[in-house]
Amino acid sequence: MTAAALELFARSVTSLPPAIMAACLVKRCTYLLREATRLASAGSPVGQLRLARVAHRTLTSSATSPSSCFPGSLSQHVEREQAFTHYPERQEVDELIEKATRPEEVLELLGGGHCLHQNHGALMLIQLARLLAEKPEGKASLIQDARFQQLLHLVNNQITAVWHGTLVKLLRSLYVLALPAASRELRSVEQEVRWRLRRLRYKHLVFLAESSTAYMQERGSQELLAELLVHLERRWAEIEDGRTLVAIMTKTGHLSESLMNRLEDKCLELVEQFGPEELRKVLVALAAHNRRSVPLLRAISYHLVQKPFSLTKGVLLDLAYAYGRLGFHQTQVFQRLAADLLPHTPSLSSGEVARCTKSFAFLKWLNLPLFEAFAQHTLSRAQSISVPHLCNMLLAFARLNFRPEQEDQFFSLVHEKLGAQLAGLDPSLQVDVLWALCVLQQARGAQLQAVLHPAFHTQFLGARSPKGQSTFQKLVHINATAQLEHPEYTGPLLPATALVPRPSAPDRKVTPLQKELQETLKGLLGGADRGCFLVPTQYGWVLDAEVLLDPDGQFLPLRDFVAPHLAPPSGGQPLPPGAKRLAFLCWEFPNFNSRSKDLLGRFVLARRHVRAAGFLVADVPYYEWLELKSEWQKGAYLKDKIRKAVAEELAK
Ligand SMILES: *[C@@H]1O[C@H](CO)[C@@H](O)[C@H](O)[C@H]1NC(C)=O
């Protein structure tokens, strides 16, 4: 056994000068002899067993491969060496490498007559990378250094004998040292890693995934990266702990769909053991890669609700962000987030408050105490809050149609802050902000003028992109607000022609609710000319149904009469005295705040506009319609809606 180890060792030091080699041999022999005696005489059965096994493997392998020239036999030796539970004794040089505080000290070891075994060169490179991690200027001059080149060369020659753990660190170090992508030494280390991928321990693969995937992408090491991902995926069952799982997910989840699927499966298995930090990381990784894995989100939600662990501010904010980004609704989680966040509000920064408000708005989750606290927070930081943060809050408030209790103070702060700055914002953000103010009924004449002015709005008229079209749509709503809710407003307005070339009713699918409403209503009307369906208006809203009622509540034919709300306006005859237009507006589940019967801001605005345009409004919310079973019930429901709308009008 000693002889075999000696032979192995001798091969590993052949690149050293003969004198040093001899010294090393003596030292190493002494060590091996001592070890062998210790193991044998210790009498421990484990020790003897190990010894026997190693001896056996050595014998059999040297019988089958007497020559050591083949890479196969070399790597066998590497494996064999790793079967020793005792690595070679720590030498002085190990300590010197570790303790070096300057690259120079490391390089000096090369010429110092030290006894270097096959790992030392790699360890030196690793230490150099550690020392230079933060110093790009040092790297360039190091790479020029002849001793560094000599070191690279040495490592390159010994590469097959470097231990697994050292090898993966070596690769990362070469990346950190910014060796040129075409460097022969770098390529050879990468090649060696590829060869060994199957044999590396899973933790080594994870180390590479964590520390080096970004480099591999940058440096064009696509093959290695692809193989690494394949191995990570193939051996996913070896993942044992949450930390590892989360690390792979965060670093490589976006690189391989199939790996990510595996990781999500594994997550389901381990989620029970996760602490808040891991739950957070998994959620953030899912959000970052936009992966709405419902079973996993459900499981995570379950643990967040059930487990008593306390969630820090940072975790709470990230959770809110991730749920918002993924649009995953889980009432109990939101209740917990809101309740846990509330006491933290005073310590949040304005940016955090803005971000959090936005997350909850995405989720359509209006928690009044929390939102009041956010508004209060904004008021108390009036001096320091920035316009972008304020804009984010406004957009979120408008989405949920939330007006703080201290409405007047809040909006005067908004107007004071926006003041001169509004005009300087990105044009589409400017439209968004003004639209939000319209929803919240806080827009001012001068602000309306600014965006409705041709010099401003022209840029959006021909917009084709979805974003551009949505901005134009908001401009139409602002135009309608000016016209319907600001009687003193004198213009400018959007030209009527702006609406004509585009189909104002987007080819939205007719929902079951809309379809049933149409069918039921047709049954009541007694004539095709007595009702219109999906009527596009010049206000940018589509009426689900429109009818005209005479003072006795009878349906009149629609088409003969003036219809200023249409785009373009039509008809010539004035309405008969006492006649009233009535609009049916269907409200679907997604039109409401989560878990509530309060409409989102957008639909509140629509409803207000339709009323301001002179319509009676009959609301048909999904939750009422779903209760109606028979045709007869549906008809009676609609008749009742009409009666109530008329009565309400009379009561005014
Ligand atoms: C803007 O409002 C004016 C005034 O009511 C209206 O004539 C015009 O058609 C509207 N423009 C658009 C694009 O809706």
Side-chain angles (χ1 to χ4, degrees):
M1 170 231 152
T2 317
L6 253 177
E7 178 212 323
L8 162 69
F9 178 65
R11 206 177 301 122
S12 71
V13 292
T14 43
S15 53
L16 296 173
I20 302 182
M21 217 169 89
C24 285
L25 276 173
V26 173
K27 200 165 174 189
R28 182 66 183 263
C29 284
T30 328
Y31 162 72
L32 284 172
L33 273 173
R34 199 171 58 224
E35 269 309 273
T37 339
R38 192 180 66 78
L39 278 176
S41 66
S44 103
V46 182
Q48 279 166 2
L49 213 110
R50 224 176 255 151
L51 198 59
R53 199 164 50 218
V54 171
H56 172 75
R57 284 175 47 169
T58 312
L59 281 172
T60 45
S61 76
S62 48
T64 49
S65 60
S67 148
S68 61
C69 305
F70 301 104
S73 82
L74 258 184
S75 56
Q76 275 170 11
H77 279 300
V78 174
E79 277 187 350
R80 198 177 315 138
E81 211 218 23
Q82 286 174 346
F84 282 103
T85 39
H86 297 273
Y87 287 121
E89 194 178 26
R90 259 179 78 83
Q91 297 166 5
E92 193 195 352
V93 61
D94 285 286
E95 213 151 291
L96 291 174
I97 294 174
E98 245 168 55
K99 285 205 178 133
T101 51
R102 290 176 303 113
E104 189 56 31
E105 291 169 30
V106 178
L107 292 174
E108 271 165 10
L109 296 173
L110 273 176
H114 291 283
C115 175
L116 301 175
H117 70 68
Q118 70 267 38
N119 250 358
H120 281 143
L123 292 175
M124 286 161 81
L125 281 174
I126 294 168
Q127 180 66 0
L128 283 172
R130 202 174 287 147
L131 294 175
L132 286 172
E134 306 296 326
K135 295 178 205 140
E137 65 288 354
K139 290 177 196 167
S141 65
L142 179 75
I143 291 178
Q144 303 298 322
D145 194 310
R147 288 168 302 171
F148 179 71
Q149 292 299 332
Q150 186 195 342
L151 179 59
L152 279 179
H153 189 70
L154 174 73
V155 171
N156 193 27
N157 285 340
Q158 303 174 331
I159 195 66
T160 49
V162 170
W163 300 332
H164 292 340
T166 314
L167 181 71
V168 292
K169 282 192 205 147
L170 172 65
L171 178 58
R172 191 194 92 106
S173 301
L174 295 187
Y175 287 137
V176 170
L177 285 170
L179 238 59
S183 142
R184 194 161 54 90
E185 287 82 4
L186 176 61
R187 288 294 164 217
S188 118
V189 175
E190 286 186 340
Q191 190 56 47
E192 182 67 21
V193 171
R194 278 177 71 186
W195 272 330
R196 285 202 219 169
L197 278 176
R198 202 182 303 274
R199 284 173 291 137
L200 289 179
R201 294 185 45 197
Y202 202 76
K203 70 168 191 192
H204 294 139
L205 301 183
V206 175
F207 175 84
L208 284 175
E210 267 194 279
S211 69
S212 304
T213 44
Y215 289 112
M216 290 177 196
Q217 274 181 299
E218 252 167 51
R219 314 293 296 276
S221 311
Q222 296 305 338
E223 288 161 347
L224 174 57
L225 179 57
E227 283 174 35
L228 173 63
L229 293 174
V230 166
H231 282 272
L232 281 168
E233 182 187 334
R234 214 176 268 163
R235 291 167 56 184
W236 67 285
E238 292 176 45
I239 301 174
E240 278 167 358
D241 62 306
R243 198 211 71 82
T244 305
L245 179 58
V246 169
I248 310 178
M249 204 176 227
T250 323
K251 294 290 177 161
T252 61
H254 59 296
L255 297 175
S256 159
E257 169 89 23
S258 50
L259 172 60
M260 192 66 177
N261 290 336
R262 296 296 194 192
L263 297 177
E264 286 177 5
D265 287 348
K266 193 72 190 178
C267 255
L268 268 177
E269 195 183 312
L270 295 181
V271 68
E272 211 172 333
Q273 314 164 8
F274 284 4
E277 205 44 57
E278 278 143 349
L279 292 176
R280 161 211 219 162
K281 285 186 181 153
V282 171
L283 274 172
V284 169
L286 291 178
H289 308 147
N290 208 8
R291 294 189 55 110
R292 201 169 181 280
S293 160
V294 174
L296 184 52
L297 289 169
R298 283 212 187 108
I300 292 177
S301 305
Y302 173 83
H303 289 287
L304 280 176
V305 174
Q306 296 299 321
K307 297 249 173 87
F309 36 52
S310 73
L311 303 172
T312 63
K313 183 178 85 174
V315 171
L316 291 167
L317 291 173
D318 277 352
L319 294 182
Y321 160 78
Y323 276 92
R325 177 79 198 273
L326 294 168
F328 190 76
H329 291 262
Q330 222 298 335
T331 308
Q332 284 161 301
V333 171
F334 301 165
Q335 274 163 348
R336 166 141 204 215
L337 291 185
D340 285 12
L341 260 174
L342 193 56
H344 286 293
T345 26
S347 73
L348 297 181
S349 70
S350 301
E352 287 168 335
V353 166
R355 195 177 134 211
C356 198
T357 317
K358 194 170 164 182
S359 300
F360 281 108
F362 266 128
L363 293 167
K364 308 180 191 172
W365 181 256
L366 177 55
N367 181 287
L368 284 177
L370 190 63
F371 270 62
E372 284 298 347
F374 288 163
Q376 198 53 53
H377 184 280
T378 307
L379 282 173
S380 64
R381 308 276 173 101
Q383 293 311 311
S384 60
I385 189 163
S386 73
V387 169
H389 290 155
L390 200 56
C391 289
N392 270 331
M393 298 202 56
L394 263 185
L395 302 191
F397 284 8
R399 176 164 159 90
L400 302 182
N401 191 37
F402 169 72
R403 301 174 194 205
E405 255 169 38
Q406 291 180 295
E407 196 174 359
D408 294 346
Q409 281 112 304
F410 184 81
F411 287 106
S412 56
L413 172 66
V414 166
H415 285 294
E416 179 195 319
K417 285 273 171 186
L418 284 181
Q421 296 215 44
L422 185 58
L425 298 179
D426 167 69
S428 58
L429 178 58
Q430 214 171 312
V431 174
D432 288 345
V433 168
L434 206 59
W435 183 86
L437 289 171
C438 287
V439 169
L440 299 167
Q441 294 181 287
Q442 301 294 334
R444 292 181 173 173
Q447 295 168 331
L448 295 169
Q449 277 172 334
V451 297
L452 293 176
H453 198 281
F456 179 86
H457 75 235
T458 316
Q459 59 188 315
F460 295 108
L461 291 193
R464 285 265 157 269
S465 69
K467 171 95 174 95
Q469 294 202 3
S470 128
T471 306
F472 176 76
Q473 190 70 22
K474 284 183 172 173
L475 272 176
V476 175
H477 298 157
I478 295 170
N479 190 58
T481 307
Q483 178 196 348
L484 300 170
E485 299 191 331
H486 288 253
E488 76 296 342
Y489 186 78
T490 53
L493 286 163
L494 296 185
T497 50
L499 271 185
V500 179
R502 60 186 64 238
S504 344
D507 349 82
R508 233 181 299 151
K509 282 230 179 71
V510 177
T511 66
L513 171 54
Q514 287 171 323
K515 194 157 165 274
E516 287 181 35
L517 171 77
Q518 290 186 15
E519 280 161 11
T520 312
L521 201 52
K522 277 176 192 159
L524 297 180
L525 292 175
D529 59 345
R530 318 224 150 176
C532 277
F533 300 99
L534 300 179
V535 184
T537 66
Q538 58 151 302
Y539 316 118
W541 312 111
V542 177
L543 310 178
D544 293 301
E546 176 192 358
V547 295
L548 185 60
L549 298 169
D550 74 4
D552 304 325
Q554 298 302 311
F555 299 112
L556 296 171
L558 279 162
R559 281 297 163 216
D560 308 336
F561 302 107
V562 282
H565 57 287
L566 297 180
S570 70
Q573 253 174 280
L575 290 187
K580 265 292 187 187
R581 288 187 185 276
L582 182 142
F584 288 92
L585 301 179
C586 294
W587 304 121
E588 310 276 354
F589 177 80
N591 301 157
F592 292 90
N593 279 338
S594 189
R595 292 277 157 161
S596 101
K597 292 181 178 174
D598 296 325
L599 287 170
L600 293 172
R602 178 185 192 87
F603 305 103
V604 171
L605 183 67
R607 201 173 176 285
R608 244 177 30 222
H609 280 170
V610 174
R611 290 180 77 114
F615 282 83
L616 303 180
V617 169
D619 298 299
V620 185
Y622 76 96
Y623 52 86
E624 288 180 359
W625 192 259
L626 284 179
E627 299 284 305
L628 309 170
K629 299 300 169 223
S630 65
E631 280 311 307
W632 182 86
Q633 277 180 323
K634 289 173 187 167
Y637 171 86
L638 290 184
K639 278 194 225 157
D640 190 49
K641 282 277 166 177
I642 297 172
R643 198 175 317 119
K644 280 194 180 135
V646 172
E648 220 174 276
E649 174 73 9
L650 286 178
K652 271 201 229 159

